[in-house]
Amino acid sequence: MIIPIPDLAPAATELFLLTAACAVLLIDLFISDGRRWITQMLAQLVLVGCAAILIATASSGTAFTFSVMFIDDPLADALKLMIIVAVSMLLVYSRRYLADRGMYRGEFFTLTLFSVLGMMVMVSANHFITLYLGLELLSLSLYAMIALQRDSAVATEAAMKYFILGALASGMLLYGMSMVYGATGTLQLGDIAAMIARGEGSRTVLVFGLVFIVAGLGFKLGVVPFHMWVPDVYHGAPTAVTLLISSAPKVAAFAFFMRILGEALGGLTADWRSMLVVMAVLSLALGNIAAIAQTNLKRMLAYSSISHMGFLLLGFLAGNAFGFAAAMFYVAVYVLMNLGTFGMILLLARSGFEADQLDDYRGLARRAPWQAFLMLLLMFSMAGLPPMVGFYAKLTVLSAVVDIGMVWLAVFAVMMSLVGAFYYLRIVKLMYFDEPADTVPFTAAADARLLMTMNGLAVLALGLLPQPLMAWCLFVIERSM
């Protein structure tokens, strides 16, 4: 029996990343604690290598490999590039934070690389099993990273909650996938879409499977009513890990939605749209209202994340190329804003001081005026105020909703956005109008300061010129559908 050798070119980035992550893991064993910067530098070089391979092999066509279980298309290339940039920024922001808390160890960097590999596999999955493998590789890496501070009861509790609820969500997802398999006899996304289009398979079983799949997806995205883990995990995890959880995996979750709902189950749009409407309405309401009562910035951003994911779902509701492009634009902007906000927490934190309470930002404008201005840009963008890019992101998903005739939902989202503006502007008020609660000078590293400046100004620049990014999102979606 001759076993055919698969074409490895479409998966070149993942193969390089897997090999390099294993190499970094081995090299780290021979590095002393005082020279741990070598591991971080190697991790950054691995990400740069992945980006170079992605750009060098990018094409406007679609390629399959591993028995059509793995797809390489413009959407996959674009989302992987977003993931790499986000994780690379995370490594710069988190260096001093990790060193101050004894977490500047090889485990953090290797687990980060393996989580990136999991996200990339999710993005390029063309089969339910590939999707699940990527998801579990990502999830297992995150569980371990949350518990890296083994002596912290809060971190251990957060890791346990995330693990238990994550296992429950994975079970629901697998059950839904098995029902879809029972109805169609295949786990390949393209074949499932073709069978649904031809009207084959039991529709009742398909809809039941869809319910469980949407529930599993909702948990991974952290939307109501599957949001229970979000505030506790955001609060309990070390801030560097919270930054990872709240940024790049959202891009992978977007890919998860696109591959399953947009491609495989596109023929059931009317069925999953009604479920997404309920989840979006509940997420917008609960996320924005609960965030008002928070005094811890990480918990506030957790509830803010729930409301932003509600906005993201609005883009999916349209079920067409413009709606998916609007959702992709929104997730890219959300990740950029989140990187800046959590990056600021990391830059302000020091040994014995987490900078995660709202009161810690009192009078920041007098102590660090430039950083306060950057935080102001990020908060305005999060609130959706013009001319920041957050305004245009909200506008595009609302346009997609209005285009399908759901004006009431767009009006509701605008009202909830106005409620949400309160807690973002409260931080601006604390920074500019209150007396400083902390007089310690701002002493972040030069590279982190430069990156924060670029991050904050990008929010403003993209708000003034959003069309190129939106056109790029629309291009990759149209090329990949």
Side-chain angles (χ1 to χ4, degrees), residues 16-35:
F16 168 76
L17 177 55
L18 175 61
T19 308
C22 292
V24 172
L25 183 64
L26 288 174
I27 293 169
D28 181 70
L29 294 174
F30 301 97
I31 294 176
S32 63
D33 286 343
R35 305 177 67 188

Side-chain angles (χ1 to χ4, degrees), residues 314 318 395-411:
L314 297 184
L395 190 63
T396 50
V397 293
L398 292 176
S399 300
V401 171
V402 171
D403 286 347
I404 57 171
M406 303 184 79
V407 179
W408 69 270
L409 185 54
V411 173

Side-chain angles (χ1 to χ4, degrees), residues 111-363:
L111 284 170
T112 300
L113 291 179
F114 281 114
S115 71
V116 172
L117 179 61
M119 289 183 257
M120 286 188 172
V121 172
M122 285 171 67
V123 166
S124 274
N126 193 45
H127 194 279
F128 274 147
I129 297 300
T130 319
L131 270 170
Y132 187 71
L133 286 176
L135 175 65
E136 287 307 300
L137 180 56
L138 166 65
S139 300
L140 290 173
S141 302
L142 294 180
Y143 300 149
M145 291 177 78
I146 294 169
L148 269 182
Q149 283 182 309
R150 289 188 290 271
D151 296 333
S152 168
V154 180
T156 310
E157 182 187 342
M160 284 298 294
K161 279 184 182 173
Y162 195 32
F163 174 72
I164 293 169
L165 292 174
L168 183 66
S170 295
M172 287 193 289
L173 199 61
L174 279 178
Y175 190 59
M177 289 176 177
S178 68
M179 293 187 85
V180 171
Y181 178 74
T184 62
T186 178
L187 289 172
Q188 207 163 79
L189 305 188
D191 292 344
I192 293 170
M195 290 197 70
I196 292 174
R198 290 195 298 269
E200 299 175 8
S202 167
R203 181 173 174 79
T204 306
V205 178
L206 270 174
V207 172
F208 267 106
L210 177 66
V211 171
F212 283 99
I213 287 175
V214 170
L217 292 176
F219 175 87
K220 298 303 177 188
L221 206 56
V223 291
V224 181
F226 310 104
H227 65 288
M228 298 77 72
W229 62 274
V230 180
D232 291 338
V233 170
Y234 272 47
H235 184 204
T239 306
V241 181
T242 310
L243 174 54
L244 176 60
I245 294 170
S246 65
S247 56
K250 302 297 185 192
V251 178
F254 166 81
F256 215 41
F257 267 78
M258 270 298 301
R259 299 294 186 200
I260 292 185
L261 298 186
E263 295 179 14
L265 304 176
L268 301 176
T269 302
D271 297 290
W272 55 253
R273 178 181 287 161
S274 56
M275 285 185 270
L276 294 196
V277 167
V278 175
M279 289 160 68
V281 168
L282 292 176
S283 301
L284 288 167
L286 187 141
N288 282 310
I289 293 171
I292 293 174
Q294 306 305 316
T295 57
N296 181 284
L297 184 55
K298 285 165 71 177
R299 288 190 79 85
M300 192 201 86
L301 291 172
Y303 283 106
S304 156
S305 157
I306 293 170
S307 70
H308 279 290
M309 291 306 103
F311 263 103
L312 179 65
L313 291 184
L314 297 184
F316 281 105
L317 290 177
N320 54 35
F322 178 71
F324 293 140
M328 182 177 170
F329 182 86
Y330 197 93
V331 80
V333 169
Y334 173 73
V335 169
L336 182 68
M337 297 186 301
N338 228 35
L339 282 166
T341 308
F342 276 102
M344 187 63 76
I345 299 176
L346 289 171
L347 265 55
L348 291 173
R350 55 183 183 273
S351 183
F353 179 68
E354 289 291 328
D356 62 351
Q357 297 295 325
L358 292 184
D359 287 342
D360 296 335
Y361 291 80
R362 289 183 187 277

Side-chain angles (χ1 to χ4, degrees), residues 39-108:
T39 310
Q40 185 191 11
M41 187 188 69
L42 289 174
Q44 285 283 23
L45 287 175
V46 170
L47 294 175
V48 170
C50 289
I53 293 172
L54 267 179
I55 294 169
T57 59
S59 72
S60 58
T62 300
F64 296 95
T65 187
F66 301 126
S67 303
V68 202
M69 294 175 75
F70 191 94
I71 184 171
D72 180 24
D73 58 8
L75 176 65
D77 291 339
L79 296 180
K80 286 177 195 173
L81 202 55
M82 283 187 205
I83 291 169
I84 289 170
V85 172
V87 174
S88 185
M89 291 172 70
L90 156 78
L91 294 181
V92 175
Y93 281 141
S94 61
R95 186 175 62 238
R96 196 182 72 172
Y97 180 91
L98 295 172
D100 287 345
R101 285 151 187 80
M103 295 171 59
Y104 198 63
R105 303 196 298 263
E107 296 96 304
F108 181 87

